[in-house]
Amino acid sequence: MGALVQPPGLEPLAPFAKGALMQQQISVITLGITDLARSRRFYQEGFGWRPVFENEQIVFYQMNGLLLGTFLKDALEADMNRRGLASPGAFSLAHNLVHKEEVEPLMERLLAAGGRLLRLADSPPHGGFRGYVADPGEHAWEIAWNPAWSIASDGHVTFGS
Amino acid sequence: MGALVQPPGLEPLAPFAKGALMQQQISVITLGITDLARSRRFYQEGFGWRPVFENEQIVFYQMNGLLLGTFLKDALEADMNRRGLASPGAFSLAHNLVHKEEVEPLMERLLAAGGRLLRLADSPPHGGFRGYVADPGEHAWEIAWNPAWSIASDGHVTFGS
C-alpha cells in the first residue's frame, strides 16, 4: 500500500464528523443508451435478468446490493447537466461466474442477444479466465471466472476468497 | 411492465439450462483513469474509502457486494482489447445517503478532494434530492438522497422501501 501522493499545495481534508455514515457503497450504475428495446433484449435474454421497474425512459434491475439502470442518454445528460457523453466510455463492468466453464456459454448468449465481441475469453496474466462483450450501447462487460474472489449465493462478491 | 419488443427476424433465445446460475450480479465496476494519485485522493479523502488492494496500475475498493476498481486507462484498453475509450462516457455512478442533509456536505468534500461540479444538488421531478460531481477522471457521480429506496446498514441498496 503506497503512501498517498498529494499534489503540491493541497492540504489533507478534515476527518469526517464522528459517527458520520460513510459507506463504501455504490447505489446505482446507470448506462446511457439510445434504444430501450435492444438494451432490454441484451439484459433480459442475454443475461436472463428481470427488471424491477421500467417506463419509457429507464429500466432498473435489482442487482447484488445495488441497482443497474439503463436510461435514455438524452435524459441522463439532462439529469447530469452535461452534454456530449461519448461511447465507448473509459470503464467496464464485470459479471463473475463461479465456474470457468460458464464463461464462454454466457458470452455466446450475450452475442446472440445483440452483444458485440470485444475479446475472446482467455487467461490474463493476473489469473482466472475472461472475455469481453459490448452491450448494444457499446458498454463493455467483462465475463470472468476469478478463483481468488468469492461469490456468495446472494451474488455478493468479495475480494479474496 | 411493457412487453419486450423484438427486432424483426430475431428469435427468442433458448432458456437457460435448468439449474444454471444466473445471478443478477455485477462483480466489478472498473474506471479508466490516467493519474492514480489524483484518483486515490478523490476516493480516499473525498469519499473516505479504504482500498482493499493497490499496485502501480490499479486500486480496488471493496464495496456493497461488488468491487470498484480504478485502473490505468491504457491497461484497461489492453485488457478489453479496445482502443480509444472516451471521456466523459455515457454512464453515471450513484452513492445514496440515508439523510437529505448529508448530500451537500459530501459533494463539498468531493470537490475539495479534486472533483468537479456538474450539477448543484436540487430536487428532480422523480423525487428525492441529488447533485453530480465528476471525479478527476471525468467519471460522473450522482450524490443522492432517495427516500423511496432502502439502504441497509451494510450498504446494500434495494429498489423500493
Side-chain angles (χ1 to χ4, degrees), chain A residues 29-45:
Chain A
I29 303 169
T30 304
L31 302 176
I33 60 168
T34 55
D35 186 325
L36 276 168
R38 281 197 313 172
S39 177
R40 272 203 301 260
R41 180 164 195 268
F42 181 81
Y43 289 101
Q44 296 181 22
E45 297 193 24

Side-chain angles (χ1 to χ4, degrees), chain A residues 2 12-13 19 43 68 72 96 114 126:
Chain A
L13 299 174
Y43 289 101
L68 173 67
L72 291 179
N96 276 36
H126 52 270

Side-chain angles (χ1 to χ4, degrees), chain A residues 27 52 62-63 65-67, chain B residues 148-152 155-161:
Chain A
S27 49
V52 67
Q62 175 68 53
M63 308 302 290
L66 76 165
L67 279 294
Chain B
W149 293 5
S150 69
I151 306 176
H156 296 153
V157 176
T158 306
F159 188 94
S161 51

Side-chain angles (χ1 to χ4, degrees), chain B residues 122-134:
Chain B
D122 60 7
S123 298
H126 53 270
F129 188 67
R130 59 87 183 89
Y132 282 90
V133 175

Side-chain angles (χ1 to χ4, degrees), chain A:
Chain A
M1 301 289 166
L4 179 65
V5 178
Q6 297 260 359
L10 290 171
E11 296 296 324
L13 299 174
F16 286 98
K18 192 169 177 179
L21 179 72
M22 195 40 53
Q23 295 179 330
Q24 301 212 175
Q25 173 239 91
I26 296 169
S27 49
V28 194
I29 303 169
T30 304
L31 302 176
I33 60 168
T34 55
D35 186 325
L36 276 168
R38 281 197 313 172
S39 177
R40 272 203 301 260
R41 180 164 195 268
F42 181 81
Y43 289 101
Q44 296 181 22
E45 297 193 24
F47 275 115
W49 296 343
R50 295 289 157 256
V52 67
F53 175 85
E54 55 188 306
N55 65 21
E56 70 287 353
Q57 286 199 315
I58 197 163
V59 180
F60 279 117
Y61 303 88
Q62 175 68 53
M63 308 302 290
N64 47 316
L66 76 165
L67 279 294
L68 173 67
T70 54
F71 195 19
L72 291 179
K73 192 171 83 164
D74 287 352
L76 176 61
E77 290 183 341
D79 199 60
M80 195 187 291
N81 192 33
R82 187 191 216 186
R83 293 285 161 193
L85 299 184
S87 288
F91 76 106
S92 68
L93 304 177
H95 178 83
N96 276 36
L97 295 158
V98 174
H99 304 291
K100 181 179 181 180
E101 294 70 27
E102 297 173 294
V103 171
E104 289 176 326
L106 177 56
M107 290 179 65
E108 287 164 15
R109 279 191 72 88
L110 295 174
L111 297 175
R116 190 169 68 77
L117 183 67
L118 297 175
R119 179 185 199 120
L120 284 169
D122 60 7
S123 298
H126 52 270
F129 188 67
R130 59 88 183 89
Y132 281 89
V133 174
D135 87 354
E138 289 298 324
H139 304 299
W141 279 92
E142 179 185 7
I143 306 302
W145 168 71
N146 180 346
W149 293 5
S150 69
I151 306 176
S153 58
D154 61 3
H156 295 154
V157 176
T158 306
F159 188 94
S161 50

Side-chain angles (χ1 to χ4, degrees), chain B residues 4-161:
Chain B
L4 179 65
V5 179
Q6 296 259 1
L10 289 171
E11 296 295 326
L13 299 174
F16 285 98
K18 192 170 177 179
L21 178 72
M22 195 40 51
Q23 295 180 331
Q24 300 212 176
Q25 174 240 89
I26 296 170
S27 49
V28 193
I29 303 168
T30 304
L31 302 176
I33 60 167
T34 55
D35 186 325
L36 277 168
R38 281 196 314 172
S39 177
R40 271 201 302 260
R41 181 164 195 267
F42 181 82
Y43 289 100
Q44 297 181 23
E45 297 193 24
F47 275 115
W49 297 343
R50 294 290 157 255
V52 68
F53 175 85
E54 55 188 306
N55 65 21
E56 71 287 352
Q57 286 199 314
I58 197 162
V59 180
F60 279 116
Y61 303 87
Q62 175 68 54
M63 308 302 290
N64 47 315
L66 77 165
L67 279 294
L68 173 67
T70 54
F71 194 22
L72 291 179
K73 192 171 84 165
D74 287 352
L76 176 61
E77 290 183 339
D79 199 60
M80 194 186 292
N81 192 33
R82 187 191 216 186
R83 292 287 162 192
L85 298 184
S87 289
F91 76 106
S92 69
L93 304 178
H95 178 83
N96 275 35
L97 295 158
V98 173
H99 303 292
K100 181 179 181 180
E101 295 69 25
E102 297 173 294
V103 170
E104 289 177 326
L106 177 55
M107 289 178 67
E108 286 164 15
R109 279 190 71 89
L110 296 174
L111 298 176
R116 190 169 68 77
L117 183 67
L118 297 175
R119 179 184 198 122
L120 283 170
D122 60 7
S123 298
H126 53 270
F129 188 67
R130 59 87 183 89
Y132 282 90
V133 175
D135 87 355
E138 288 298 322
H139 304 299
W141 278 92
E142 179 185 7
I143 307 302
W145 168 72
N146 179 347
W149 293 5
S150 69
I151 306 176
S153 59
D154 61 3
H156 296 153
V157 176
T158 306
F159 188 94
S161 51

